Amino acid sequence: VAKVSPEEGYGLVREDLLVTVPLDKMPGSVEVGQTLEAVGDNEQVVHVIVREINEDNVVIDGNHPLASKNLEFEIEILEVE
């Protein structure tokens, strides 16, 4: 089993990628856990996850879903040449 720390994998959660957006700016109805496409500062499309919805705002998360997670991989070597 190979283990990869968050720092070596997808990084730690960055608080600056958690953004609060007014609910009326959302494209229709949204649900917690839903993935949306957004346009980033550099005009590139990025995927964000809806983390929280309240009466007036939605918190979206631009972090990778595996950010701050320890990763484990099972590796099987089939052949060495």
Side-chain angles (χ1 to χ4, degrees), residues 17 35-49 60-62:
L17 295 178
T35 300
L36 305 173
E37 290 185 347
V39 178
D41 292 337
N42 55 6
E43 300 299 317
Q44 283 189 317
V45 174
V46 294
H47 292 94
V48 297
I49 298 173
I60 58 174
D61 184 353

Side-chain angles (χ1 to χ4, degrees), residues 49-66:
I49 298 173
V50 177
R51 292 291 180 206
E52 182 181 320
I53 301 172
N54 61 40
E55 193 172 305
D56 300 317
N57 298 303
V58 175
V59 177
I60 58 174
D61 184 353
N63 287 287
H64 190 281
L66 295 176

Side-chain angles (χ1 to χ4, degrees), residues 20-28 30 36 56-58:
T20 300
V21 178
L23 188 56
D24 63 359
K25 299 291 184 193
M26 299 308 294
V30 294
L36 305 173
D56 300 317
N57 298 303
V58 175

